[in-house]
Amino acid sequence: NLQKDAEAIAEDKLRTQVAETTRTLELRTSETKGNIQINLLSLSQIGSRGYLRFSILNFSNVALRPGPAIFGAYRVGKAGWVGHRTEGLVEIPSESEIPETILPEGYVYGVISFDYRPLARGEKPFVRFDSKDKAWSLELTGFKWFEDGEAR
């Protein structure tokens, strides 16, 4: 009985910790190139993991075969009076779940999971989607991110 009580207390404490560190931002960001549209739907943090939900629309009359998404951050530096320049990209290790084939006139959902980390000042998030045959590539940058519990 003592072992069961200890397990129940530990499980309750874990649920409380996860509930305290769960947050979600609706993104509503999209990019279209040719017959392909990618929508970023939401960014969530559950405990130490982050999740980026997205959808891919195929407006063409042929099936698409997306490859894994590349996820990370880039640093923006000052370029004098000209504006800002990108100084470097940092890929954040992630796993993407995307259906292997997107049918013609089809619409699929996917998710990228990663070890969540706050972005440093001057860093902006990016995600790039490529096809397996390298026929297309789409990149979305600078979408909303968490900062001390608030959207950046």
Side-chain angles (χ1 to χ4, degrees):
N1 277 345
L2 189 57
Q3 178 68 22
K4 287 183 181 181
D5 289 344
E7 288 175 6
I9 291 169
E11 188 173 317
D12 188 48
K13 188 172 185 175
L14 179 62
R15 281 190 192 134
T16 302
Q17 287 175 337
V18 169
E20 289 173 354
T21 59
T22 299
R23 54 189 177 164
T24 299
L25 281 174
E26 297 301 318
L27 296 178
R28 296 186 189 110
T29 301
S30 67
E31 185 71 35
T32 303
K33 184 175 184 182
N35 292 324
I36 302 159
Q37 180 178 333
I38 297 180
N39 303 308
L40 298 184
L41 305 173
S42 66
L43 173 68
S44 299
Q45 179 187 3
I46 302 172
S48 64
R49 296 292 291 170
Y51 301 92
L52 181 65
R53 286 186 47 241
F54 61 89
S55 63
I56 303 176
L57 289 80
N58 176 9
F59 296 116
S60 73
N61 57 4
V62 295
L64 299 177
R65 292 181 43 95
I70 297 170
F71 178 71
Y74 65 94
R75 180 167 293 284
V76 177
K78 300 267 185 203
W81 58 274
V82 177
H84 298 290
R85 70 179 190 282
T86 302
E87 292 183 342
L89 299 175
V90 176
E91 186 174 341
I92 297 172
S94 61
E95 299 170 12
S96 51
E97 294 181 26
I98 307 171
E100 288 206 19
T101 303
I102 304 170
L103 298 175
E105 302 295 324
Y107 189 82
V108 297
Y109 291 95
V111 66
I112 300 168
S113 61
F114 54 95
D115 287 332
Y116 179 81
R117 73 170 181 87
L119 295 180
R121 183 174 288 304
E123 282 187 329
K124 302 288 182 186
F126 80 90
V127 61
R128 189 175 77 224
F129 297 87
D130 298 310
S131 65
K132 286 187 178 176
D133 62 3
K134 306 297 181 206
W136 57 270
S137 178
L138 270 170
E139 187 169 304
L140 293 98
T141 60
F143 46 90
K144 289 192 282 187
W145 199 260
F146 296 112
E147 181 180 0
D148 297 324
E150 298 298 322
R152 181 181 284 217

PDB file of all heavy atoms in Angstrom, residues 19-54:
ATOM      1  N   ALA A  19       0.851  20.376 -16.264  1.00  0.00           N
ATOM      2  CA  ALA A  19      -0.234  21.336 -16.454  1.00  0.00           C
ATOM      3  C   ALA A  19       0.260  22.772 -16.269  1.00  0.00           C
ATOM      4  O   ALA A  19      -0.188  23.681 -16.975  1.00  0.00           O
ATOM      5  CB  ALA A  19      -1.376  21.043 -15.477  1.00  0.00           C
ATOM      6  N   GLU A  20       1.202  22.974 -15.359  1.00  0.00           N
ATOM      7  CA  GLU A  20       1.739  24.319 -15.128  1.00  0.00           C
ATOM      8  C   GLU A  20       2.629  24.791 -16.271  1.00  0.00           C
ATOM      9  O   GLU A  20       2.824  25.977 -16.456  1.00  0.00           O
ATOM     10  CB  GLU A  20       2.523  24.354 -13.814  1.00  0.00           C
ATOM     11  CG  GLU A  20       1.645  24.257 -12.591  1.00  0.00           C
ATOM     12  CD  GLU A  20       2.444  24.128 -11.300  1.00  0.00           C
ATOM     13  OE1 GLU A  20       3.680  23.997 -11.355  1.00  0.00           O
ATOM     14  OE2 GLU A  20       1.805  24.143 -10.230  1.00  0.00           O
ATOM     15  N   THR A  21       3.213  23.856 -17.041  1.00  0.00           N
ATOM     16  CA  THR A  21       4.125  24.233 -18.120  1.00  0.00           C
ATOM     17  C   THR A  21       3.527  23.955 -19.498  1.00  0.00           C
ATOM     18  O   THR A  21       4.241  23.720 -20.454  1.00  0.00           O
ATOM     19  CB  THR A  21       5.468  23.489 -17.992  1.00  0.00           C
ATOM     20  OG1 THR A  21       5.222  22.083 -18.024  1.00  0.00           O
ATOM     21  CG2 THR A  21       6.201  23.882 -16.728  1.00  0.00           C
ATOM     22  N   THR A  22       2.221  23.994 -19.601  1.00  0.00           N
ATOM     23  CA  THR A  22       1.554  23.801 -20.884  1.00  0.00           C
ATOM     24  C   THR A  22       1.038  25.148 -21.369  1.00  0.00           C
ATOM     25  O   THR A  22       0.337  25.847 -20.641  1.00  0.00           O
ATOM     26  CB  THR A  22       0.383  22.806 -20.748  1.00  0.00           C
ATOM     27  OG1 THR A  22       0.907  21.551 -20.311  1.00  0.00           O
ATOM     28  CG2 THR A  22      -0.339  22.623 -22.057  1.00  0.00           C
ATOM     29  N   ARG A  23       1.430  25.489 -22.594  1.00  0.00           N
ATOM     30  CA  ARG A  23       0.951  26.743 -23.187  1.00  0.00           C
ATOM     31  C   ARG A  23       0.938  26.596 -24.700  1.00  0.00           C
ATOM     32  O   ARG A  23       1.673  25.792 -25.267  1.00  0.00           O
ATOM     33  CB  ARG A  23       1.805  27.922 -22.746  1.00  0.00           C
ATOM     34  CG  ARG A  23       3.289  27.740 -23.008  1.00  0.00           C
ATOM     35  CD  ARG A  23       4.091  28.821 -22.350  1.00  0.00           C
ATOM     36  NE  ARG A  23       5.510  28.580 -22.552  1.00  0.00           N
ATOM     37  CZ  ARG A  23       6.442  29.478 -22.366  1.00  0.00           C
ATOM     38  NH1 ARG A  23       6.117  30.696 -21.973  1.00  0.00           N
ATOM     39  NH2 ARG A  23       7.708  29.198 -22.557  1.00  0.00           N
ATOM     40  N   THR A  24       0.073  27.380 -25.350  1.00  0.00           N
ATOM     41  CA  THR A  24      -0.108  27.296 -26.796  1.00  0.00           C
ATOM     42  C   THR A  24      -0.297  28.687 -27.385  1.00  0.00           C
ATOM     43  O   THR A  24      -0.978  29.524 -26.798  1.00  0.00           O
ATOM     44  CB  THR A  24      -1.341  26.426 -27.143  1.00  0.00           C
ATOM     45  OG1 THR A  24      -1.125  25.108 -26.621  1.00  0.00           O
ATOM     46  CG2 THR A  24      -1.557  26.331 -28.634  1.00  0.00           C
ATOM     47  N   LEU A  25       0.309  28.895 -28.547  1.00  0.00           N
ATOM     48  CA  LEU A  25       0.113  30.121 -29.329  1.00  0.00           C
ATOM     49  C   LEU A  25      -0.504  29.737 -30.670  1.00  0.00           C
ATOM     50  O   LEU A  25      -0.006  28.829 -31.331  1.00  0.00           O
ATOM     51  CB  LEU A  25       1.463  30.788 -29.645  1.00  0.00           C
ATOM     52  CG  LEU A  25       2.147  31.612 -28.598  1.00  0.00           C
ATOM     53  CD1 LEU A  25       3.527  32.037 -29.098  1.00  0.00           C
ATOM     54  CD2 LEU A  25       1.334  32.834 -28.272  1.00  0.00           C
ATOM     55  N   GLU A  26      -1.563  30.410 -31.059  1.00  0.00           N
ATOM     56  CA  GLU A  26      -2.102  30.237 -32.403  1.00  0.00           C
ATOM     57  C   GLU A  26      -1.223  31.062 -33.339  1.00  0.00           C
ATOM     58  O   GLU A  26      -0.940  32.228 -33.061  1.00  0.00           O
ATOM     59  CB  GLU A  26      -3.556  30.712 -32.464  1.00  0.00           C
ATOM     60  CG  GLU A  26      -4.504  29.921 -31.581  1.00  0.00           C
ATOM     61  CD  GLU A  26      -4.548  28.446 -31.905  1.00  0.00           C
ATOM     62  OE1 GLU A  26      -4.558  28.089 -33.099  1.00  0.00           O
ATOM     63  OE2 GLU A  26      -4.564  27.639 -30.961  1.00  0.00           O
ATOM     64  N   LEU A  27      -0.786  30.482 -34.458  1.00  0.00           N
ATOM     65  CA  LEU A  27       0.162  31.179 -35.326  1.00  0.00           C
ATOM     66  C   LEU A  27      -0.482  31.851 -36.540  1.00  0.00           C
ATOM     67  O   LEU A  27      -0.180  32.979 -36.857  1.00  0.00           O
ATOM     68  CB  LEU A  27       1.265  30.226 -35.784  1.00  0.00           C
ATOM     69  CG  LEU A  27       2.143  29.699 -34.647  1.00  0.00           C
ATOM     70  CD1 LEU A  27       3.166  28.720 -35.197  1.00  0.00           C
ATOM     71  CD2 LEU A  27       2.832  30.831 -33.916  1.00  0.00           C
ATOM     72  N   ARG A  28      -1.304  31.137 -37.274  1.00  0.00           N
ATOM     73  CA  ARG A  28      -1.965  31.689 -38.471  1.00  0.00           C
ATOM     74  C   ARG A  28      -0.962  32.334 -39.432  1.00  0.00           C
ATOM     75  O   ARG A  28      -1.136  33.463 -39.878  1.00  0.00           O
ATOM     76  CB  ARG A  28      -3.035  32.684 -38.078  1.00  0.00           C
ATOM     77  CG  ARG A  28      -4.169  32.050 -37.302  1.00  0.00           C
ATOM     78  CD  ARG A  28      -5.287  33.053 -37.060  1.00  0.00           C
ATOM     79  NE  ARG A  28      -6.257  32.499 -36.159  1.00  0.00           N
ATOM     80  CZ  ARG A  28      -6.432  32.928 -34.911  1.00  0.00           C
ATOM     81  NH1 ARG A  28      -5.724  33.923 -34.446  1.00  0.00           N
ATOM     82  NH2 ARG A  28      -7.334  32.369 -34.160  1.00  0.00           N
ATOM     83  N   THR A  29       0.116  31.617 -39.735  1.00  0.00           N
ATOM     84  CA  THR A  29       1.135  32.079 -40.674  1.00  0.00           C
ATOM     85  C   THR A  29       1.149  31.122 -41.849  1.00  0.00           C
ATOM     86  O   THR A  29       1.060  29.916 -41.662  1.00  0.00           O
ATOM     87  CB  THR A  29       2.525  32.066 -39.983  1.00  0.00           C
ATOM     88  OG1 THR A  29       2.467  32.912 -38.851  1.00  0.00           O
ATOM     89  CG2 THR A  29       3.613  32.530 -40.910  1.00  0.00           C
ATOM     90  N   SER A  30       1.249  31.648 -43.063  1.00  0.00           N
ATOM     91  CA  SER A  30       1.277  30.751 -44.222  1.00  0.00           C
ATOM     92  C   SER A  30       2.229  31.271 -45.287  1.00  0.00           C
ATOM     93  O   SER A  30       2.580  32.447 -45.317  1.00  0.00           O
ATOM     94  CB  SER A  30      -0.124  30.558 -44.802  1.00  0.00           C
ATOM     95  OG  SER A  30      -0.594  31.759 -45.356  1.00  0.00           O
ATOM     96  N   GLU A  31       2.630  30.364 -46.152  1.00  0.00           N
ATOM     97  CA  GLU A  31       3.506  30.678 -47.283  1.00  0.00           C
ATOM     98  C   GLU A  31       3.057  29.818 -48.455  1.00  0.00           C
ATOM     99  O   GLU A  31       2.767  28.638 -48.296  1.00  0.00           O
ATOM    100  CB  GLU A  31       4.967  30.373 -46.922  1.00  0.00           C
ATOM    101  CG  GLU A  31       5.973  30.770 -47.969  1.00  0.00           C
ATOM    102  CD  GLU A  31       6.134  32.278 -48.094  1.00  0.00           C
ATOM    103  OE1 GLU A  31       6.042  32.983 -47.072  1.00  0.00           O
ATOM    104  OE2 GLU A  31       6.323  32.739 -49.225  1.00  0.00           O
ATOM    105  N   THR A  32       2.965  30.440 -49.625  1.00  0.00           N
ATOM    106  CA  THR A  32       2.554  29.725 -50.831  1.00  0.00           C
ATOM    107  C   THR A  32       3.634  29.861 -51.890  1.00  0.00           C
ATOM    108  O   THR A  32       4.203  30.940 -52.071  1.00  0.00           O
ATOM    109  CB  THR A  32       1.231  30.295 -51.378  1.00  0.00           C
ATOM    110  OG1 THR A  32       0.237  30.201 -50.349  1.00  0.00           O
ATOM    111  CG2 THR A  32       0.755  29.530 -52.605  1.00  0.00           C
ATOM    112  N   LYS A  33       3.915  28.753 -52.565  1.00  0.00           N
ATOM    113  CA  LYS A  33       4.867  28.755 -53.673  1.00  0.00           C
ATOM    114  C   LYS A  33       4.323  27.803 -54.733  1.00  0.00           C
ATOM    115  O   LYS A  33       4.183  26.609 -54.479  1.00  0.00           O
ATOM    116  CB  LYS A  33       6.241  28.294 -53.196  1.00  0.00           C
ATOM    117  CG  LYS A  33       7.315  28.360 -54.261  1.00  0.00           C
ATOM    118  CD  LYS A  33       8.657  28.006 -53.644  1.00  0.00           C
ATOM    119  CE  LYS A  33       9.763  28.160 -54.645  1.00  0.00           C
ATOM    120  NZ  LYS A  33      11.059  27.774 -54.035  1.00  0.00           N
ATOM    121  N   GLY A  34       3.985  28.370 -55.877  1.00  0.00           N
ATOM    122  CA  GLY A  34       3.405  27.538 -56.922  1.00  0.00           C
ATOM    123  C   GLY A  34       2.096  26.927 -56.467  1.00  0.00           C
ATOM    124  O   GLY A  34       1.180  27.632 -56.044  1.00  0.00           O
ATOM    125  N   ASN A  35       2.017  25.608 -56.509  1.00  0.00           N
ATOM    126  CA  ASN A  35       0.797  24.885 -56.144  1.00  0.00           C
ATOM    127  C   ASN A  35       0.827  24.328 -54.727  1.00  0.00           C
ATOM    128  O   ASN A  35       0.065  23.426 -54.400  1.00  0.00           O
ATOM    129  CB  ASN A  35       0.559  23.729 -57.129  1.00  0.00           C
ATOM    130  CG  ASN A  35       0.218  24.228 -58.509  1.00  0.00           C
ATOM    131  OD1 ASN A  35      -0.465  25.231 -58.653  1.00  0.00           O
ATOM    132  ND2 ASN A  35       0.709  23.542 -59.525  1.00  0.00           N
ATOM    133  N   ILE A  36       1.725  24.851 -53.880  1.00  0.00           N
ATOM    134  CA  ILE A  36       1.877  24.330 -52.523  1.00  0.00           C
ATOM    135  C   ILE A  36       1.684  25.465 -51.524  1.00  0.00           C
ATOM    136  O   ILE A  36       2.234  26.546 -51.695  1.00  0.00           O
ATOM    137  CB  ILE A  36       3.277  23.720 -52.330  1.00  0.00           C
ATOM    138  CG1 ILE A  36       3.505  22.609 -53.357  1.00  0.00           C
ATOM    139  CG2 ILE A  36       3.450  23.190 -50.912  1.00  0.00           C
ATOM    140  CD1 ILE A  36       4.945  22.301 -53.579  1.00  0.00           C
ATOM    141  N   GLN A  37       0.896  25.200 -50.492  1.00  0.00           N
ATOM    142  CA  GLN A  37       0.718  26.170 -49.416  1.00  0.00           C
ATOM    143  C   GLN A  37       0.978  25.474 -48.094  1.00  0.00           C
ATOM    144  O   GLN A  37       0.459  24.384 -47.848  1.00  0.00           O
ATOM    145  CB  GLN A  37      -0.690  26.751 -49.413  1.00  0.00           C
ATOM    146  CG  GLN A  37      -0.907  27.760 -48.293  1.00  0.00           C
ATOM    147  CD  GLN A  37      -2.282  28.379 -48.324  1.00  0.00           C
ATOM    148  OE1 GLN A  37      -2.911  28.474 -49.367  1.00  0.00           O
ATOM    149  NE2 GLN A  37      -2.757  28.781 -47.163  1.00  0.00           N
ATOM    150  N   ILE A  38       1.779  26.122 -47.237  1.00  0.00           N
ATOM    151  CA  ILE A  38       2.044  25.598 -45.901  1.00  0.00           C
ATOM    152  C   ILE A  38       1.513  26.600 -44.886  1.00  0.00           C
ATOM    153  O   ILE A  38       1.782  27.795 -44.989  1.00  0.00           O
ATOM    154  CB  ILE A  38       3.546  25.338 -45.690  1.00  0.00           C
ATOM    155  CG1 ILE A  38       3.994  24.251 -46.673  1.00  0.00           C
ATOM    156  CG2 ILE A  38       3.822  24.938 -44.244  1.00  0.00           C
ATOM    157  CD1 ILE A  38       5.436  23.884 -46.604  1.00  0.00           C
ATOM    158  N   ASN A  39       0.732  26.110 -43.945  1.00  0.00           N
ATOM    159  CA  ASN A  39       0.158  26.927 -42.875  1.00  0.00           C
ATOM    160  C   ASN A  39       0.747  26.479 -41.548  1.00  0.00           C
ATOM    161  O   ASN A  39       0.698  25.297 -41.220  1.00  0.00           O
ATOM    162  CB  ASN A  39      -1.359  26.752 -42.810  1.00  0.00           C
ATOM    163  CG  ASN A  39      -2.032  27.093 -44.111  1.00  0.00           C
ATOM    164  OD1 ASN A  39      -1.816  28.152 -44.669  1.00  0.00           O
ATOM    165  ND2 ASN A  39      -2.836  26.173 -44.611  1.00  0.00           N
ATOM    166  N   LEU A  40       1.302  27.410 -40.781  1.00  0.00           N
ATOM    167  CA  LEU A  40       1.705  27.107 -39.412  1.00  0.00           C
ATOM    168  C   LEU A  40       0.506  27.394 -38.535  1.00  0.00           C
ATOM    169  O   LEU A  40      -0.012  28.508 -38.527  1.00  0.00           O
ATOM    170  CB  LEU A  40       2.902  27.957 -39.001  1.00  0.00           C
ATOM    171  CG  LEU A  40       4.175  27.759 -39.817  1.00  0.00           C
ATOM    172  CD1 LEU A  40       5.310  28.607 -39.234  1.00  0.00           C
ATOM    173  CD2 LEU A  40       4.578  26.306 -39.903  1.00  0.00           C
ATOM    174  N   LEU A  41       0.033  26.387 -37.807  1.00  0.00           N
ATOM    175  CA  LEU A  41      -1.209  26.491 -37.053  1.00  0.00           C
ATOM    176  C   LEU A  41      -0.999  26.893 -35.603  1.00  0.00           C
ATOM    177  O   LEU A  41      -1.683  27.777 -35.100  1.00  0.00           O
ATOM    178  CB  LEU A  41      -1.967  25.168 -37.132  1.00  0.00           C
ATOM    179  CG  LEU A  41      -2.237  24.666 -38.555  1.00  0.00           C
ATOM    180  CD1 LEU A  41      -2.834  23.269 -38.522  1.00  0.00           C
ATOM    181  CD2 LEU A  41      -3.130  25.638 -39.292  1.00  0.00           C
ATOM    182  N   SER A  42      -0.062  26.226 -34.912  1.00  0.00           N
ATOM    183  CA  SER A  42       0.149  26.557 -33.508  1.00  0.00           C
ATOM    184  C   SER A  42       1.521  26.114 -33.042  1.00  0.00           C
ATOM    185  O   SER A  42       2.129  25.199 -33.602  1.00  0.00           O
ATOM    186  CB  SER A  42      -0.922  25.915 -32.624  1.00  0.00           C
ATOM    187  OG  SER A  42      -0.802  24.510 -32.648  1.00  0.00           O
ATOM    188  N   LEU A  43       1.986  26.786 -31.998  1.00  0.00           N
ATOM    189  CA  LEU A  43       3.204  26.434 -31.290  1.00  0.00           C
ATOM    190  C   LEU A  43       2.779  26.100 -29.870  1.00  0.00           C
ATOM    191  O   LEU A  43       2.098  26.905 -29.225  1.00  0.00           O
ATOM    192  CB  LEU A  43       4.182  27.609 -31.287  1.00  0.00           C
ATOM    193  CG  LEU A  43       5.440  27.445 -30.430  1.00  0.00           C
ATOM    194  CD1 LEU A  43       6.360  26.376 -31.014  1.00  0.00           C
ATOM    195  CD2 LEU A  43       6.172  28.772 -30.309  1.00  0.00           C
ATOM    196  N   SER A  44       3.152  24.916 -29.394  1.00  0.00           N
ATOM    197  CA  SER A  44       2.791  24.508 -28.033  1.00  0.00           C
ATOM    198  C   SER A  44       4.027  24.080 -27.282  1.00  0.00           C
ATOM    199  O   SER A  44       4.985  23.577 -27.865  1.00  0.00           O
ATOM    200  CB  SER A  44       1.809  23.332 -28.056  1.00  0.00           C
ATOM    201  OG  SER A  44       0.626  23.677 -28.704  1.00  0.00           O
ATOM    202  N   GLN A  45       3.972  24.268 -25.971  1.00  0.00           N
ATOM    203  CA  GLN A  45       5.001  23.740 -25.086  1.00  0.00           C
ATOM    204  C   GLN A  45       4.299  22.915 -24.033  1.00  0.00           C
ATOM    205  O   GLN A  45       3.374  23.385 -23.369  1.00  0.00           O
ATOM    206  CB  GLN A  45       5.802  24.857 -24.426  1.00  0.00           C
ATOM    207  CG  GLN A  45       6.865  24.324 -23.495  1.00  0.00           C
ATOM    208  CD  GLN A  45       7.569  25.392 -22.688  1.00  0.00           C
ATOM    209  OE1 GLN A  45       7.232  26.564 -22.770  1.00  0.00           O
ATOM    210  NE2 GLN A  45       8.537  24.987 -21.895  1.00  0.00           N
ATOM    211  N   ILE A  46       4.735  21.672 -23.896  1.00  0.00           N
ATOM    212  CA  ILE A  46       4.216  20.779 -22.858  1.00  0.00           C
ATOM    213  C   ILE A  46       5.434  20.242 -22.132  1.00  0.00           C
ATOM    214  O   ILE A  46       6.195  19.452 -22.695  1.00  0.00           O
ATOM    215  CB  ILE A  46       3.370  19.637 -23.448  1.00  0.00           C
ATOM    216  CG1 ILE A  46       2.199  20.211 -24.245  1.00  0.00           C
ATOM    217  CG2 ILE A  46       2.883  18.698 -22.350  1.00  0.00           C
ATOM    218  CD1 ILE A  46       1.404  19.181 -25.020  1.00  0.00           C
ATOM    219  N   GLY A  47       5.638  20.727 -20.927  1.00  0.00           N
ATOM    220  CA  GLY A  47       6.849  20.362 -20.197  1.00  0.00           C
ATOM    221  C   GLY A  47       8.064  20.894 -20.925  1.00  0.00           C
ATOM    222  O   GLY A  47       8.129  22.067 -21.289  1.00  0.00           O
ATOM    223  N   SER A  48       9.023  20.024 -21.187  1.00  0.00           N
ATOM    224  CA  SER A  48      10.260  20.447 -21.849  1.00  0.00           C
ATOM    225  C   SER A  48      10.205  20.253 -23.368  1.00  0.00           C
ATOM    226  O   SER A  48      11.187  20.514 -24.059  1.00  0.00           O
ATOM    227  CB  SER A  48      11.448  19.659 -21.284  1.00  0.00           C
ATOM    228  OG  SER A  48      11.302  18.277 -21.587  1.00  0.00           O
ATOM    229  N   ARG A  49       9.065  19.823 -23.896  1.00  0.00           N
ATOM    230  CA  ARG A  49       8.939  19.573 -25.340  1.00  0.00           C
ATOM    231  C   ARG A  49       8.129  20.679 -26.001  1.00  0.00           C
ATOM    232  O   ARG A  49       7.177  21.206 -25.438  1.00  0.00           O
ATOM    233  CB  ARG A  49       8.245  18.231 -25.619  1.00  0.00           C
ATOM    234  CG  ARG A  49       8.989  17.011 -25.135  1.00  0.00           C
ATOM    235  CD  ARG A  49      10.257  16.740 -25.877  1.00  0.00           C
ATOM    236  NE  ARG A  49       9.980  16.324 -27.245  1.00  0.00           N
ATOM    237  CZ  ARG A  49      10.921  16.204 -28.178  1.00  0.00           C
ATOM    238  NH1 ARG A  49      12.171  16.475 -27.910  1.00  0.00           N
ATOM    239  NH2 ARG A  49      10.611  15.830 -29.391  1.00  0.00           N
ATOM    240  N   GLY A  50       8.515  21.007 -27.231  1.00  0.00           N
ATOM    241  CA  GLY A  50       7.788  21.958 -28.050  1.00  0.00           C
ATOM    242  C   GLY A  50       7.175  21.240 -29.240  1.00  0.00           C
ATOM    243  O   GLY A  50       7.707  20.223 -29.707  1.00  0.00           O
ATOM    244  N   TYR A  51       6.060  21.763 -29.724  1.00  0.00           N
ATOM    245  CA  TYR A  51       5.341  21.163 -30.848  1.00  0.00           C
ATOM    246  C   TYR A  51       4.875  22.263 -31.785  1.00  0.00           C
ATOM    247  O   TYR A  51       4.215  23.208 -31.357  1.00  0.00           O
ATOM    248  CB  TYR A  51       4.129  20.362 -30.352  1.00  0.00           C
ATOM    249  CG  TYR A  51       4.520  19.253 -29.406  1.00  0.00           C
ATOM    250  CD1 TYR A  51       4.551  19.469 -28.032  1.00  0.00           C
ATOM    251  CD2 TYR A  51       4.883  18.000 -29.887  1.00  0.00           C
ATOM    252  CE1 TYR A  51       4.939  18.468 -27.161  1.00  0.00           C
ATOM    253  CE2 TYR A  51       5.269  16.989 -29.017  1.00  0.00           C
ATOM    254  CZ  TYR A  51       5.288  17.233 -27.662  1.00  0.00           C
ATOM    255  OH  TYR A  51       5.674  16.239 -26.790  1.00  0.00           O
ATOM    256  N   LEU A  52       5.223  22.145 -33.057  1.00  0.00           N
ATOM    257  CA  LEU A  52       4.801  23.083 -34.086  1.00  0.00           C
ATOM    258  C   LEU A  52       3.848  22.335 -35.021  1.00  0.00           C
ATOM    259  O   LEU A  52       4.254  21.414 -35.717  1.00  0.00           O
ATOM    260  CB  LEU A  52       6.011  23.609 -34.860  1.00  0.00           C
ATOM    261  CG  LEU A  52       5.742  24.621 -35.949  1.00  0.00           C
ATOM    262  CD1 LEU A  52       5.176  25.921 -35.357  1.00  0.00           C
ATOM    263  CD2 LEU A  52       7.013  24.915 -36.726  1.00  0.00           C
ATOM    264  N   ARG A  53       2.554  22.705 -34.968  1.00  0.00           N
ATOM    265  CA  ARG A  53       1.541  22.067 -35.823  1.00  0.00           C
ATOM    266  C   ARG A  53       1.423  22.838 -37.121  1.00  0.00           C
ATOM    267  O   ARG A  53       1.460  24.068 -37.130  1.00  0.00           O
ATOM    268  CB  ARG A  53       0.182  22.046 -35.120  1.00  0.00           C
ATOM    269  CG  ARG A  53       0.092  21.030 -34.008  1.00  0.00           C
ATOM    270  CD  ARG A  53      -1.314  20.938 -33.417  1.00  0.00           C
ATOM    271  NE  ARG A  53      -2.342  20.857 -34.432  1.00  0.00           N
ATOM    272  CZ  ARG A  53      -3.330  21.754 -34.590  1.00  0.00           C
ATOM    273  NH1 ARG A  53      -3.446  22.784 -33.811  1.00  0.00           N
ATOM    274  NH2 ARG A  53      -4.214  21.589 -35.539  1.00  0.00           N
ATOM    275  N   PHE A  54       1.249  22.117 -38.230  1.00  0.00           N
ATOM    276  CA  PHE A  54       1.165  22.747 -39.542  1.00  0.00           C
ATOM    277  C   PHE A  54       0.271  21.937 -40.462  1.00  0.00           C
ATOM    278  O   PHE A  54      -0.097  20.797 -40.155  1.00  0.00           O
ATOM    279  CB  PHE A  54       2.569  22.886 -40.164  1.00  0.00           C
ATOM    280  CG  PHE A  54       3.258  21.565 -40.370  1.00  0.00           C
ATOM    281  CD1 PHE A  54       3.094  20.839 -41.543  1.00  0.00           C
ATOM    282  CD2 PHE A  54       4.076  21.043 -39.384  1.00  0.00           C
ATOM    283  CE1 PHE A  54       3.715  19.617 -41.725  1.00  0.00           C
ATOM    284  CE2 PHE A  54       4.709  19.824 -39.551  1.00  0.00           C
ATOM    285  CZ  PHE A  54       4.529  19.106 -40.732  1.00  0.00           C
TER     286      PHE A  54
END
